[in-house]
Amino acid sequence: MGNSNPAEAAAPAAPKSSGFISKLTRALFIAAGITLWYATSERRKYSVPAVSKHCDHLSPITSAEFQTRQNSLARALNQLNASAYIAEPGASSLYYGNISTSNWGLSERPLLLVITPQQNGEEIGAKVSVLTPTFEASRAKMLPIVSNDVTFIEWAEEANPYEHALTILSGTPGSVYVDGATRNFIVDGLRDAHPQADVSSAPYEIRRLRERKSPAEIELLKCANEATVLSIRAVHEKMHVGIRESTASAMMRATLASAGLRDGGCLTLFGENAALPHGSGTDRTLGETRFRLTVALAESEIPEEHLQIWHDVRAAQNAAIDIAYAGVIAAEVDKAARSSLDNSKYFTHRLGHGIGLEVHEAPYLNGGSKSVLETGHAFSDEPGIYIEGKVGVRLEDCFYINETGPIFLTAGIGGQAKSPWSP
Ligand SMILES: *[C@@H]1O[C@H](CO)[C@@H](O)[C@H](O)[C@H]1NC(C)=O
Ligand SMILES: *[C@@H]1O[C@H](CO)[C@@H](O)[C@H](O)[C@H]1NC(C)=O
Ligand SMILES: *[C@@H]1O[C@H](CO)[C@@H](O)[C@H](O)[C@H]1NC(C)=O
């Protein structure tokens, strides 16, 4: 289901002359030092050499691939007779321009990535522009935007930014597509400033460009998935009866961090707590007969009834992936898992979601989804049974669709768990 834990350390205040403040500052420095020591020693204690080197061979998305993305977008816009595509900092601006919300936090002043198609000889290419507040223009020019030729369009504090956003277009703008995550006031501002333009959310012909993962993106997803499963296996070996949810969770975080997975997190729920799909907020210890959300300890004895649930959920997971070929409607995949569980009322959520630059992204595998599966789509396959006060079992593995059919992203390291004792 995904979970993230941004760990941001606040820097202690600079020392001041007052005795009390300087004592306080020293205490803060010592506290920060202890935290840092603890985090480092925790990472050393739980780091697993095989996991920590796992993704070293991969490189980030190249400039050439960014340019391919921009040109594909430009061609799609041209085919739709559209004048421009606009995105705020977020997953889509990261995809097309390498601008993320960690490079540029959202504020009330719009900074927009604007991509327009332009004729380059015989070919349609992309023109990349950025609308920026004038007083922030120098900072905007330091953004790691991938393009040989970015045009910066500045708007002064007293100006209407939306009037400026499309000044690079000659003539009246036709259709203007905005990324679906764009905030309403920006869409409204664009509409008001360009009444003749048709400003609307990007249609599927555009959205599918990001939804379908390239071979390089699949390699990155594969490695993140493999490192996660290897971390789960490593932590599983170190777990024991009596351990707390919070300790096991910290071990997972540290192991994931040693694998280079930033902001990694893992839901760690024991016993009845696992019956609440996203946890209860209590910090339970693991007992001999308690299941973690999906795995059991070597010494654990699992009641027969709970073991049966594990196997039923596994069967549902397989029923779904067995039919997840390109061309199939997403709702059918969800239905296959649900039918396998006799439409159990305890399977309370959708089967899965797309994975990529966002933890949860389109397309979704739910009973209402008319999306058609295409090669390059990557999903979670995560049926679950949650009987409140008793037990919860969810098995989650991610897969992608290639031309030969669906493939688990962890196929290279043995794929799905073999049993509750062998994740
Ligand atoms: C994308 O931005 C990141 C920093 O956020 C930078 O490290 C990386 O080199 C950039 N990618 C390209 C292809 O320039
Ligand atoms: C784009 O414009 C051309 C020429 O006017 C027209 O033939 C075509 O149907 C239009 N395409 C779309 C998707 O509107
Ligand atoms: C599809 O799967 C086959 C068999 O595993 C593999 O050889 C091929 O490279 C895959 N194609 C893509 C695009 O990942």
Side-chain angles (χ1 to χ4, degrees):
M1 289 210 136
N3 188 14
S4 67
N5 272 306
E8 272 166 353
K16 293 249 170 67
S17 52
S18 130
F20 172 73
I21 300 260
S22 84
K23 258 191 218 143
L24 179 67
T25 309
R26 214 173 62 183
L28 278 173
F29 270 119
I30 292 169
I34 290 172
T35 314
L36 185 66
W37 167 80
Y38 183 73
T40 318
S41 68
E42 197 181 51
R43 187 175 300 192
R44 217 177 286 130
K45 189 156 129 208
Y46 300 128
S47 94
V48 181
V51 184
S52 54
K53 299 227 174 343
H54 196 68
C55 296
D56 280 6
H57 63 290
L58 290 180
S59 27
I61 298 298
T62 60
S63 302
E65 181 147 346
F66 273 104
Q67 263 145 26
T68 304
R69 291 171 177 180
Q70 293 162 5
N71 290 335
S72 304
L73 173 61
R75 279 196 301 274
L77 290 170
N78 187 58
Q79 269 161 23
L80 293 163
N81 293 335
S83 329
Y85 173 84
I86 297 182
E88 289 202 84
S92 291
S93 71
L94 178 58
Y95 180 81
Y96 288 114
N98 204 25
I99 305 172
S100 73
T101 46
S102 26
N103 305 132
W104 194 281
L106 295 182
S107 82
E108 73 284 10
R109 292 189 177 91
L111 175 118
L112 303 175
L113 174 70
V114 183
I115 294 186
T116 50
Q118 67 176 13
Q119 198 76 38
N120 290 341
E122 295 285 286
E123 310 260 292
I124 299 291
K127 168 97 197 86
V128 177
S129 310
V130 169
L131 178 81
T132 171
T134 303
F135 85 105
E136 299 249 64
S138 301
R139 188 160 77 88
K141 286 172 190 168
M142 294 186 314
L143 282 168
I145 303 169
V146 181
S147 168
N148 303 329
D149 181 24
V150 187
T151 300
F152 288 89
I153 312 161
E154 300 181 17
W155 60 276
E157 290 285 89
E158 65 281 9
N160 176 345
Y162 310 106
E163 283 173 6
H164 290 257
L166 298 174
T167 44
I168 46 150
L169 298 176
S170 48
T172 314
S175 298
V176 172
Y177 290 128
V178 291
D179 174 47
T182 310
R183 290 172 296 172
N184 275 337
F185 72 89
I186 292 181
V187 182
D188 291 345
L190 287 166
R191 283 198 178 122
D192 289 347
H194 304 279
Q196 312 90 324
D198 182 11
V199 179
S200 60
S201 282
Y204 184 64
E205 290 86 334
I206 306 272
R207 296 198 311 271
R208 75 194 280 269
L209 300 175
R210 202 189 107 199
E211 285 182 7
R212 298 180 71 191
K213 275 72 189 179
S214 70
E217 292 167 313
I218 295 288
E219 284 310 307
L220 292 170
L221 286 174
K222 249 187 213 165
C223 210
N225 275 262
E226 288 179 358
T228 303
V229 170
L230 292 173
S231 300
I232 289 172
R233 289 178 189 160
V235 169
H236 179 243
E237 274 174 26
K238 293 182 182 169
M239 295 204 15
H240 52 82
V241 168
I243 194 172
R244 287 200 168 277
E245 284 177 357
S246 57
T247 311
S249 179
M251 285 163 76
M252 263 314 286
R253 254 195 326 275
T255 311
L256 288 169
S258 81
L261 298 183
R262 249 181 297 136
D263 302 342
C266 186
L267 267 177
T268 312
L269 307 173
F270 298 158
E272 298 92 285
N273 277 3
L276 300 176
H278 279 158
S280 71
T282 63
D283 191 13
R284 191 177 270 288
T285 55
L286 184 59
E288 260 169 52
T289 56
R290 283 188 187 137
F291 234 153
R292 287 206 289 151
L293 186 51
T294 62
V295 295
L297 298 186
E299 60 266 47
S300 304
E301 284 188 33
I302 309 297
E304 193 53 42
E305 186 197 346
H306 293 182
L307 200 55
Q308 187 56 48
I309 294 175
W310 193 96
H311 287 289
D312 292 346
V313 172
R314 158 50 49 81
Q317 211 188 15
N318 288 341
I321 198 165
D322 281 351
I323 66 151
Y325 283 78
V328 170
I329 310 279
E332 294 298 320
V333 183
D334 177 272
K335 203 161 116 192
R338 227 163 279 282
S339 313
S340 165
L341 289 167
D342 293 329
N343 296 311
S344 168
K345 65 174 180 185
Y346 298 115
F347 178 10
T348 48
H349 55 69
R350 67 183 175 215
L351 174 69
H353 51 81
I355 56 164
L357 287 173
E358 295 171 284
V359 181
H360 295 174
E361 63 175 44
Y364 295 96
L365 299 178
N366 65 46
S369 173
K370 298 188 176 67
S371 301
V372 177
L373 270 47
E374 295 196 64
T375 54
H377 275 162
F379 299 99
S380 67
D381 175 6
E382 49 175 316
I385 287 286
Y386 313 92
I387 306 177
E388 281 188 30
K390 278 177 85 178
V391 63
V393 176
R394 176 164 74 249
L395 295 177
E396 173 165 358
D397 291 274
C398 295
F399 68 98
Y400 77 105
I401 316 245
N402 100 345
E403 54 285 15
T404 59
I407 299 181
F408 279 119
L409 286 164
T410 51
I413 54 156
Q416 294 159 290
K418 301 287 169 289
S419 77
W421 292 275
S422 170

